[in-house]
Structures are given as structure tokens and as C-alpha cells.
Amino acid sequence: MAEYKRPTNEQEFEENFAQKKPLMNSTEAYYESSRCLYCYDAPCMHACPTGIDIPLFIKQIHTGNTTGAAKTIFDANWLGNACGKVCPTGVLCEGDCVYNHQDVPAIQIGRLQNYATDQVISEGKKLFEPGPDNGRKVAIIGAGPASIACACELRVMGYQVDIFEAKEKPSGLTVHGVAPYKITNEEVLAEMDFLQNQLGFHINYEQKISTPGQLQLLEGEYDALFLGVGLGPTASLRLPGEDKAQVIGAVEFIEALRMQQHKISIADRVVVIGGGNTAMDAASESARMGAEEVTLAYRRDKASMGAYDFEYKLAVSAGVKGIFNAQPLEILGNGTATGVRFIKTKTVNGKLESIPGSEFEIACDLVIKATGQAKHPHFLSMIGGLELDAKNRIQVSDSFQTTNPKYFAGGDAVNGGAEVVNAAYEGKMAAKGIEKWLNRDLN
Amino acid sequence: MPDLSINFAGIKAPNPFWLASGPPTNSGYQVMKAFDAGWGGAVWKTLGVPVINVSSRYGSINYRNTRMAGFNNIELITDRQLKDNLREIEEVKKYYPNHAVIASLMVETKAEWHQIVKDVENAGADGIELNFGCPHGMCERGMGSAVGQEPGVLKTIVGWVMEVAQIPVITKLTPNISHIVDPGLAAVHGGTDALSLINTIKSIVGIDLDTYAPYPIVDGKGTNGGYCGPAVKPIAMEMIKELAKHPEIKDTPISGIGGVETWRDVVEFMLLGASSVQVCTAAMHYGFGIVREMEAGLQQFMLDKGYNTIYDFVGKALPNVTEWKHLNLKHKVVAEINSDKCIGCDLCYTACDDGAHQAIKLDRTNGNRIPEIIEENCVGCNLCALVCPVEQCITMERRDDGREQISWHERTQAGSIPTSFNDERAGGNHHFVPTVEDALKHRK
Ligand SMILES: Cc1cc2nc3c(=O)[nH]c(=O)nc-3n(C[C@H](O)[C@H](O)[C@H](O)COP(=O)(O)OP(=O)(O)OC[C@H]3O[C@@H](n4cnc5c(N)ncnc54)[C@H](O)[C@@H]3O)c2cc1C
Ligand SMILES: Cc1cc2nc3c(=O)[nH]c(=O)nc-3n(C[C@H](O)[C@H](O)[C@H](O)COP(=O)(O)O)c2cc1C
Ligand code: SF4
Ligand code: SF4
Ligand code: SF4
């Protein structure tokens, strides 16, 4: 009962993953922007982690100053274009738009934002330039949103910036992780090019930093370092049979999907294990790739899922079937996964208990584990004096300085996994922290 | 059903909705379509001397999501042959004997006026309208507003027409004058049967930011146009009121023009003394079908109020339009916020704090966004209620008990007006005004 046909070429892939927030045309932008009330001390702006002056950029769009609108957006958020498309706006800016209180549809802030930034990006309009060289150098590890935001901010202040990235593309999970119906690879990379062309930071691709020797070299050569390493691969489930073929982590599955698109071939029957947003994405994406049967299995009840409600609904609308209170016991199969054995659970006094004798099996050809991303404790332990919290998150001060003063950090590695917009904010604030620290250092 | 028919200075029409002289009345084809759609009368596109029109001709003001909130044109009178227009007037009258066809005219010499009046009477027109209003092009040739702005000349020309006219004559006035009573009175003294107003207001609606030319642009240049559409309605209403209240003019029927688009506009014009209305921009914007809303609305209003004909309420607001000096100085309203309806946009706060009297306070405790009125500071100016985007969320509540009534005029007569700022009787003396130091507290 697949709702989607298997995509066999780029066009079919794009149809199956049609953009949830397509680009507005100028007429749509004109009328939508006309509705904004220009609230005083606007609540939408407070709900944006980067604090974009939303009423201002919307008014700028309305008065035909789209370039100025884009500048307002990038001034607050270096990933303004990606954020317009991938932010969960319903729980951020749009969720706090005053119109909600009178049951009038909230202003489509994300799409308006995108309308403005897309225009300057596609025209390659010059909005920013590096500040005069201040003679200082910063090394950045990782090229995800946190790092890119940090790099842009540092360049504006006149720093030389060198980024070291393990993969061959910038933007981290924005291009490798976010669902394709939120943003296309081309859109993500166009914003990266736009920023790099204007601000000229260097990115060294396929340069994973993994030894104490490399770190020492960087520490010697640079005035400060920024860690924007995000999270690691999918964490282990510690389940018997997890090492079988056709068992894959959600992050790895999604990365393959984003990089190879229609060229990957999805199994007929897919079981996704997990209840977070990544699980919803992996399930939705499997369905959109044309899998016959996609089951999303979560060990607690529906209400306890970490995922946003709208993400679950989106998965269901793509044909995904959710089953709850199902705890996986074992991945079945002879070398290759053929199914998952579950046991039913219930919550007693807040504790999850399995119900004896309630085991059942679901046959499948692919198991996707969406049970969270591991962190990088091994790599981080190579940095002297760098303290992690109990959840292996890097500890930072208000200015995003780690416990090793030369190192600053931001993004998922610090917040434990949030949104692109949080990473963008933290990276930018870390750049300001670096400037503050180095200036005080000089005095 | 209420009776919408009118007898306007002897011109009979099934209803008071007339098309004003302009592009919608350029031909028999359009006028017949309009009558079929429900219009009761049409003032034909002005007939007169030969002209040449330019391209382009219109410009407009878009406000937020509203297109053509104000409209501007540099078009002249008809460029069609007089004989074609006369033939079509005759044909229209054959098909629609009960609808009003009024010929708008603009020529120069006495002989020309005498001739053209005869021509349109022979064609069967029900009335004549003298166009003394056009503020562009024609006035450069000594016609249109060039006449309307010179009461003496206007009176003379009205006199020429009245010498020969057998059918009712309406004189259409220009608003491009500081005192509308002057030309109004001149027309009445010249013998006109009725007045109509306003024609368009001299205007520039915009400048192209690449070519530096005003809209509408004719090969890199532009000229002042005539402004009309919803934006000019308040100006039209004020001028109608001035005439309708004037003792020497008040018995002359007035056809109200300027920004009429809905039944509400129609009723408001009538309450100020108009006994027919004319519409141009709204018909250009939405087509002749717009009259359905006007007709249904006017009928419902009359049913609700128990009126049988429009004459039951024409002019009914005039006694309440008075001079400032007669307003009750003891009347007191203050703003009240309905917190159940408030959406927390805080526009009222910033409007009052920056643009009025610092009578609204914000307390962000627990993320609160619902503002609070500081009643003792509120002067009752209405600004907050006007900016509030939610229907009936801020209301102005009466605080005086209505027992005391005194106006500036009465106080002047009683010798009780303030003579210096220290005078206890001066206004604003006990009103709260923040200090300069308070402004420093807002600095970031
Ligand atoms: C499946 C999925 C869907 C998501 N969907 C959304 C969404 O819809 N909206 C949203 O706002 N957010 C979404 N997110 C979250 C968002 O992508 C992240 O919060 C954000 O990308 C974090 O940015 P970052 O810079 O901290 O880390 P990352 O984006 O993870 O970037 C880290 C970068 O560092 C590199 N790196 C790591 N270690 C090293 C090393 N030792 N040497 C060199 N390079 C290294 C990595 O290769 C990577 O490029 C999603 C995340 C996932 C997993
Ligand atoms: C509430 C109010 C009070 C005004 N008071 C004055 C005044 O005291 N002196 C003056 O020259 N104009 C006064 N004006 C007119 C304005 O200066 C301005 O000419 C007019 O409002 C047109 O501009 P606008 O369309 O931007 O409002 C006032 C306008 C408003 C709205
Ligand atoms: S809350 Fe809504 S209406 Fe108010 S400024 Fe923000 S987007 Fe505009
Ligand atoms: S009525 Fe005027 S003074 Fe009173 S609160 Fe409203 S804006 Fe302020
Ligand atoms: S303007 Fe109206 S809705 Fe907005 S804060 Fe004031 S009372 Fe509330």
C-alpha cells in the first residue's frame, strides 16, 4: 500500500520530496507581508533563537527593499536562508505570532524570510565583506551551521579563519541530515557558497581532526579554536542481532539518502525504531522512497514521543504506521535482518515495564535505528582540560568558552542536539566570545 | 421594499446610483450594460471640443494589500466624435426611457455653449452637467477647473447655459479651491438647478525611482493628475457638508461624488445632504457589478431604520456637524482594553507612548503582553482604539455623567476663557507629562 512510487530519476525524487515550504512568488510575498502588524517589541522576534527583527524585514519586503530584508535577516542569523526553510517555525516565531490569539493564521515568517534571502543568494548580491585583517587566526573544527556562523562573524571582525571538515561538503547536518522535503541540497550549498564568496573563510574538506598531534599543531598556529563538531553516528541499541546486514542507523540512512537521492533503493518493508524527530524523518523518507510498508515502533506511548506532533502527522500522512508501547528485544534473521521481535510495555508509576508473554514479531527487510546520536567523548578527551557534562556535552560559559580557554564551542556538541537555528546562534555568540577573550588577553 | 427612486432637480431615476462622467460612460455600449447591471443613471463622458489623449493615463496609490486606495488620471474629455455620442445618447434613451442620462459638457464660448446644450437636448438627454472641475490639461486651455476656480467666470457661464437650457442643469465643482462655498454660491446665483461635487483633486501619486518621472509616465515625463478613489472621500464629504449647511445653497440638490464604493459611503453622503451619488473609480476597479452591493446595502439600511424613501434621511447628520466651539468641553471618555480579546501586539502601547499621552503601561511580568490603561493619564483621544487590530478590543468608555455641558462658545460668552497659561482654567494644566529624565531611562 505504498503511497509513493519508487523514484527512478531526479525529477521523481523531487516530486516525492516536494518542498513543504516552497518559495513564495512576489505576489504571495506582497500580500503575506501586508498582513504583518509591525508589533511593538514583537513576540515573534523573541521566539526566534537568533532574534531576527521580523517586523522590520517583513516591512522591508513589503516596500520592495528585498535586499535590505535579507541584510536584516543575515545580520542576526548567518544561516537565514536555511533557517527559513528548516526551522520548526510553528513552535518558534510563527507559534508566537499574535494572530494565533484570534485564530487568524500566523504570518508565514519562514517563507517570507526565505523569499528575501533566496533572492540575494540567487542574484549573488554583495551584502557583506570581511573586516580589515586584525592579524589573528582562528581554527574551526567541523563545517556545520555552528562553525559556519562562527566563521562568518569572525571574518566580519577581521579574523583569518580556517575550517577543517571531515566530509566533502559544508553545512553539516543541514545537507546531510535534514529531510529533503524541507530543503534541497542545492539550496543548502548555494547559501554556503554565497557566504563563502562574500566573506572568504577557508574550508579544508576531508580533513578529519582525530589525533592529539593534529590538535597540538592547530593550537600552536591559531589564536583560538572553535569546536563545531556536532554529534556522532547513531548510538548503539545494545540489542542482539544489531550487527546483522540491513540494520542501519537513521543518521547514516538519511545521509545516504541525501547524497545519493533516487539512486538508493529502499527495502520493501521497513521498521523504524525510535520516537524522536529523526525517527519521524527516517520513517517519512522511507515511505517517500516507495517502501511498501513502514512501521514506526516506539517503546512508550504516543504522548511521550520526543518528536513534534506535526512531524508525526507528516509521517502518518506519508503512509507510515505508528505502533506504541513496543520495546524491541531482538533483531531476527540469519546474517541479514528479516524482522524485529518486540514486547509490549506499559507505564506503571512513571516507570516503563514490559508485559510478560506479550512478545510479537514484525517481519521486515530493513531496520532503521533512530535512537539518538552518540557524542564524541573519545575525540574530545584529547583536548586537555576540556570538561564534558554527564551527558557528554561540552561545558561552556556564557560566551561559549570551554574549560580549556583556547577552545570555544557551540551547536549540537554543546546543546546536545537542537536545531540549525540554535547552532547558528551559538556559533555567532562564540565568535563574539573569542573576540572578547582575545581582546582582554591583549590588555 | 423601500422606494429607491429619486427626482433630482427634475431628473427622474429608478435609484440614486449614477455613474460619474468618466471612462465607464464613454459609450452607449457601456451605459446600456451599466443600466442592465442596476445603475439608475449615467453622466456621459464630457462632450466638448476636440482633444487628443495621451498614453499612459492612470496612476494609483496601493496601501498595504489594497490596490487603488487612491487613483489618479491625466485623461481629458471624450475624444470620440460629438455626432457619435449624440446618436448613442438617443439610442440609449430609446431602450431605457426611465433611466437618467445626463450629458456632461465643456466648451469655451457662449455660442459653443448655446449650440451644445441644444444638441444634447435634441438627443434626448434628461439633464446637463457642466464640467468646471477637470484639474489637468483642459484648464491649461481656460476650461475645467480654470472656470471652477473663478467664481465670477463660473457664474457667467452658468448664466449662458441657463438662458437656453430646457432640461435641468447640474454644475459640477472642483475641490481645488480653498473655500467651496464661493463657487457653490456663484453657481446658485447663476441659476443652476443642482450641484455636484467633487471633481478630482490636483495630485502627483508617485515618482518612478529609476526614471525620476511622476506617474503616469508619458515618454519620460508626467504632469499633475486628478486624484480620486476611496482616499478622497473625506474631502468630498466635508465639501458636501459645507454646501448643504449653507443657507443660500441648502435647497439646491447635491449629487455627491468622490470615493463612493459601498452602501455605507452612499448612506454617509446622503446623511450629509447628497440626494444622488456618482461613482467612477469603483466602477473602473470592479466593474458595473459593484452596484449590487450598494443597492442591497441601502435597501437593508432603509428597512432596518424604517425609511420609505431616501428623502426620509437625506441631510440627517447635518445638525450634528457643528463648529468646534460648540462641542461639550465636559465630555470625557477613556480607553478600556478587553483583555480577553487582546492579542498582545502592543501597538496601542507604542502608539500612546510615542504618539499620544503616555497613558498605557506595559508590565512584562510572566511574559505578559496585555497592556494596561493608566486612566488618569488618558485624554480620550481614541488613537489606541484606532490602531488596535482586533475588532471591539479597545473601547472608549464614557466617564462624565452627562450633567455638565459647557462649550468654548458658551464660556466665551460668559467671559470664562483662559487668558494666560497660568490661568487655572487653561486646558492641560493638571495633565501628566513625563519629564526629560524619564526619556533617559529608556536609553539602551
Ligand atoms: C535527521 C535529522 C534531521 C534534522 N532536521 C532538522 C530540521 O528539520 N530543522 C532544524 O533546524 N534542525 C534539524 N536537525 C538538527 C540540525 O541539523 C542540527 O542541530 C545542526 O546541524 C547542528 O549543527 P552543528 O554545527 O552543531 O553540527 P553538525 O551539523 O552536526 O555539523 C558538524 C560538522 O562537523 C564535522 N566534524 C565532526 N567531527 C569532526 C572532526 N573531528 N574533524 C572535522 N570535522 C568534524 C561533521 O562532519 C559535520 O560536518 C536535524 C538533525 C538530524 C540528525
Ligand atoms: C493629530 C494631528 C495634529 C496636527 N496638528 C498640526 C499642527 O498643529 N500644525 C500643523 O502645521 N499641522 C498639523 N497637522 C498636520 C500635519 O502636520 C500634516 O500636514 C498632515 O497630517 C498631512 O500629513 P500626513 O498625511 O502625513 O498626516 C496635524 C496632523 C495630525 C494628524
Ligand atoms: S507577531 Fe506576527 S504580526 Fe506581530 S510582528 Fe511578528 S509576524 Fe508580524
Ligand atoms: S485614548 Fe489616547 S491618551 Fe487614552 S490611552 Fe488611548 S491613546 Fe492614550
Ligand atoms: S492594540 Fe489591541 S490587541 Fe494590541 S496590545 Fe493593544 S489592546 Fe491588545
Side-chain angles (χ1 to χ4, degrees), chain A residues 86 142 144-146 164-166 172-173 177 182 209 228-230 281 411-412 418-420:
Chain A
V86 311
F164 301 89
E165 165 58 51
L173 286 171
K182 292 191 182 153
I209 306 299
V229 293
D281 282 4
D412 281 0
E419 314 289 345
V420 171

Side-chain angles (χ1 to χ4, degrees), chain B residues 13-307:
Chain B
N15 66 43
F17 314 118
W18 294 359
L19 287 169
S21 179
T25 57
N26 195 42
S27 65
Y29 166 82
Q30 288 161 291
V31 172
M32 300 224 329
K33 264 180 85 184
F35 288 167
D36 281 340
W39 295 86
V43 184
W44 210 274
K45 173 77 183 165
T46 303
L47 312 173
V49 293
V51 299
I52 301 171
N53 271 308
V54 291
S55 136
S56 54
R57 301 180 194 177
Y58 309 140
S60 83
I61 298 282
N62 298 336
Y63 186 68
R64 302 245 291 201
N65 54 357
T66 303
R67 303 193 87 80
M68 280 171 57
F71 186 65
N72 159 292
N73 82 87
I74 56 168
E75 197 170 275
L76 306 180
I77 62 176
T78 187
D79 50 16
R80 300 184 62 219
Q81 291 223 17
L82 181 62
K83 67 174 174 34
D84 293 338
N85 282 301
L86 294 172
R87 192 191 65 243
E88 288 174 21
I89 290 174
E90 207 173 323
E91 285 168 9
V92 170
K93 274 312 293 182
K94 244 186 265 156
Y95 288 104
Y96 296 89
N98 300 321
H99 285 63
V101 174
I102 294 125
S104 170
L105 307 178
M106 183 198 286
V107 287
E108 227 178 329
T109 64
K110 182 170 174 174
E112 282 170 344
W113 278 108
H114 282 177
Q115 182 58 46
I116 200 161
V117 167
K118 279 207 201 85
D119 289 343
V120 298
E121 283 178 350
N122 290 337
D126 300 292
I128 289 168
E129 187 178 78
L130 311 180
N131 179 354
F132 296 143
C134 182
H136 48 264
M138 300 313 292
C139 54
E140 295 169 17
R141 290 166 59 177
M143 291 173 272
S145 65
V147 175
Q149 287 166 336
E150 292 295 340
V153 180
L154 184 146
K155 184 179 154 198
T156 306
I157 297 180
V158 173
W160 294 345
V161 172
M162 298 318 292
E163 282 166 18
V164 295
Q166 305 289 317
I167 53 177
V169 174
I170 308 169
T171 303
K172 184 171 184 177
L173 303 180
T174 175
N176 297 297
I177 185 153
S178 50
H179 195 208
I180 195 67
V181 163
D182 298 345
L185 213 47
V188 170
H189 291 161
T192 194
D193 297 304
L195 295 166
S196 64
L197 75 167
I198 59 175
N199 208 310
T200 56
I201 303 172
K202 236 179 167 172
S203 62
I204 287 180
V205 285
I207 302 286
D208 185 275
L209 300 189
D210 295 316
T211 62
Y212 308 106
Y215 297 118
I217 303 171
V218 181
D219 193 17
K221 297 240 182 316
T223 184
N224 78 268
Y227 198 44
C228 52
V232 309
K233 176 186 153 196
I235 296 163
M237 293 210 296
E238 152 65 21
M239 292 186 163
I240 291 167
K241 177 272 292 181
E242 278 291 286
L243 299 182
K245 277 186 91 82
H246 193 276
E248 281 185 73
I249 305 175
K250 67 180 176 25
D251 296 328
T252 306
I254 297 172
S255 185
I257 318 167
V260 175
E261 179 178 311
T262 71
W263 72 269
R264 284 180 176 279
D265 304 329
V266 173
V267 171
E268 288 172 310
F269 272 57
M270 289 183 168
L271 291 172
L272 288 171
S275 48
S276 89
V277 293
Q278 297 185 27
V279 176
C280 182
T281 305
M284 292 179 75
H285 194 162
Y286 302 105
F288 298 134
I290 192 80
V291 75
R292 283 172 303 181
E293 185 276 340
M294 291 183 201
E295 181 169 6
L298 179 61
Q299 244 155 11
Q300 191 59 47
F301 170 79
M302 290 171 67
L303 276 176
D304 289 349
K305 302 283 185 188
Y307 297 134

Side-chain angles (χ1 to χ4, degrees), chain B residues 337-338 341-349 360 369-371 384 387-390 393-394:
Chain B
I337 293 175
N338 179 339
K341 290 190 172 171
C342 173
I343 59 176
C345 68
D346 292 353
L347 285 172
C348 58
Y349 163 77
I360 301 185
R369 291 193 60 94
I370 302 178
C384 54
V387 301
C388 179
V390 181
C393 173
I394 299 186

Side-chain angles (χ1 to χ4, degrees), chain B residues 332-337 348-349 351-353 355-361 372-375 377-387 394-396 431:
Chain B
K332 165 87 173 154
V333 292
V334 294
E336 224 172 73
I337 293 175
C348 58
Y349 163 77
C352 187
D353 212 64
H357 298 275
Q358 302 79 40
I360 301 185
K361 125 176 123 196
E372 219 181 292
I373 305 288
I374 309 166
E375 198 170 311
N377 292 5
C378 175
V379 303
C381 72
N382 292 356
L383 180 62
C384 54
L386 297 175
V387 301
I394 299 186
T395 50
M396 302 305 297
H431 193 264

